[in-house]
Amino acid sequence: MKDNVILRVAAKILFAPIIVFGLYVQFHGDYGPGGGFQAGVIIAAAFILHALVFGLEAGRRLFPLWLNIWLLAAGVLIYGAVGVASMGLNGLFLDYNVLAASPAAGQHVGIILVEFGVGLTVTTVMLLLFHAFAGFSPNAFAEDDIVEGALAQDDIGKGAPDAADGEARQ
Amino acid sequence: MTGLMVNICLLALLVVIVVMVMRTHRLFAVVVLSGAYSLICAVIFVNLDAVDVAFTEAAVGAGISTVLFLAAMAVLPGTEKQPPRAHTLTSNLAGLVIVVIVGGVLMLAAFDLPAVGDPNAPAQVHVAPRYLVESDEVLHIPNVVTTVLASYRGFDTLGETIVVFTAGLGVFLLLCGATRTARRRMARPEQDQGSGPYEG
């Protein structure tokens, strides 16, 4: 897919807007639909698009594995740390009211931080899953993309359409 | 009325997609069809005013899941393995009877459910009114879903995040451990031939 100019240019144009949209969904979750889970998936989609078009190795150079693993743990730790911090400020675990001067402001701070932790974990888990599955076979993504590979496999595997098979069995 | 018609059309589409998934043996078609299934589910959720759920369904179900399945397909054969023996008439009949009975019981039970959007339903009168009022007026967070998810049910979300973390880590450890062994196994014959791109 590296040789396809249209895909390459489209991926380059789309990469940044997808991430900006992900950040919008992440930090606008208080006011509109969205939040950490959705934003994490959207940001992961940007990196996966990059890896699909420019190859797995380029994707790993852009977002290295060590960083992925660290951020994976950091997301859960941020969430837990907010809870511990509110305990340190004489509140209960995950009681955001004590995090700022007024309870309402504290809730805003707590929710933004917690959603950030969720988003970080979801992004990195999705990327990790993608790289784990796509990199499972040493030959996957070596020459061309999975979609073309799957289609080619289909064409080689069974020339006859499966509908005829199904009817024959019944 | 229009909403009802739209819902009926969408549900009929879901049934069509399920039948297509059942009848095909090509995994690529199954993956793409399940992505379409998720997308139509997302449209149904929008129709039910559950925008957050629809957003999640569209992003996770239709988007990332499809890509992950396609990535997993890179290491799978393109077609489903045929079952060892064809289904007999009796096994088909037994399945049909079970499905009809379970479906009938579920439909009977569904008559006891409150109507969609009923304000007096038990789920709407317990803590939901407090959340709806407090989230906007006291906390100034208009999206109640976010308040419930991150604040009122913060413990649940912490648990969910840990589940996601553990699942990702588990899959990574399983598959990447396999990759290393597989690469070593792959590298050895190639080294013998003198052209091993994956050694070390």
Side-chain angles (χ1 to χ4, degrees):
Chain A
M1 233 205 273
K2 257 179 268 185
D3 302 326
N4 192 324
V5 178
I6 295 174
L7 276 174
R8 224 174 42 218
V9 173
K12 270 185 187 169
I13 292 174
L14 281 175
F15 184 72
I18 292 176
I19 288 187
V20 171
F21 180 61
L23 290 173
Y24 167 79
V25 170
Q26 168 83 56
F27 293 109
H28 206 257
D30 298 7
Y31 300 97
F37 286 100
Q38 294 92 331
V41 171
I42 290 170
I43 293 174
F47 285 101
I48 289 177
L49 176 71
H50 182 277
L52 279 174
V53 174
F54 297 99
L56 272 187
E57 284 306 315
R60 286 203 182 124
R61 272 199 304 278
L62 185 71
F63 203 87
L65 197 60
W66 63 266
L67 185 67
N68 204 327
I69 302 266
W70 276 98
L71 290 181
L72 178 73
V76 179
L77 283 178
I78 287 173
Y79 201 133
V82 172
V84 174
S86 59
M87 279 170 81
L89 293 165
N90 295 326
L92 297 170
F93 186 67
L94 289 176
D95 177 12
Y96 311 139
N97 285 348
V98 295
L99 289 176
S102 73
Q107 290 283 341
H108 275 268
V109 171
I111 287 175
I112 287 277
L113 285 175
V114 158
E115 292 274 10
F116 179 65
V118 171
L120 213 54
T121 297
V122 172
T123 307
T124 46
V125 162
M126 290 302 163
L127 275 174
L128 206 58
L129 286 182
F130 173 74
H131 280 289
F133 279 118
F136 180 69
S137 157
N139 295 324
F141 283 85
E143 294 301 323
D144 45 29
D145 65 291
I146 41 166
V147 181
E148 280 174 12
L151 278 174
Q153 251 179 6
D154 257 12
D155 293 342
I156 294 162
K158 276 259 163 119
D162 44 87
D165 272 7
E167 269 161 19
R169 274 192 302 109
Q170 285 169 3
Chain B
M1 195 59 202
T2 343
L4 187 68
M5 290 306 292
V6 169
N7 269 340
I8 288 174
C9 288
L10 290 173
L11 287 172
L13 262 179
L14 285 189
V15 172
V16 170
I17 290 177
V18 167
V19 171
M20 284 166 82
V21 166
M22 274 162 50
R23 292 193 58 93
T24 185
H25 294 282
R26 275 179 297 180
L27 294 181
F28 183 69
V30 170
V31 169
V32 173
L33 283 173
S34 42
Y37 187 93
S38 286
L39 203 60
I40 291 173
C41 278
V43 177
I44 291 176
F45 289 141
V46 170
N47 214 5
L48 291 170
D49 278 341
V51 191
D52 276 86
V53 185
F55 200 167
T56 316
E57 183 67 43
V60 178
I64 288 283
S65 297
T66 310
V67 173
L68 288 182
F69 276 130
L70 286 177
M73 265 185 59
V75 294
L76 290 176
T79 50
E80 193 182 334
K81 212 174 180 180
Q82 294 294 328
R85 63 180 180 83
H87 295 293
T88 59
L89 188 65
T90 41
S91 74
N92 278 350
L93 266 181
L96 183 70
V97 168
I98 292 173
V99 165
V100 166
I101 290 176
V102 172
V105 169
L106 284 176
M107 282 179 80
L108 270 182
F111 283 117
D112 283 343
L113 286 175
V116 174
D118 181 9
N120 296 318
Q124 320 281 15
V125 294
H126 181 45
V127 285
R130 195 193 126 208
Y131 293 166
L132 287 174
V133 171
E134 205 178 81
S135 174
D136 201 6
E137 291 177 5
V138 181
L139 304 178
H140 305 294
I141 298 174
N143 187 358
V144 188
V145 177
T146 301
T147 328
V148 172
L149 192 91
S151 182
Y152 293 119
R153 294 283 177 270
F155 270 53
D156 292 5
T157 312
L158 177 61
E160 281 169 28
T161 314
I162 293 175
V163 166
V164 170
F165 168 77
T166 317
L169 207 59
V171 169
F172 174 70
L173 289 177
L174 276 174
L175 288 188
C176 289
T179 301
R180 226 169 278 143
T181 10
R183 279 186 181 176
R184 218 170 291 142
R185 215 181 299 131
M186 288 285 295
R188 218 160 276 150
E190 280 171 355
Q191 275 173 349
D192 295 341
Q193 288 161 10
S195 62
Y198 290 108
E199 65 240 336

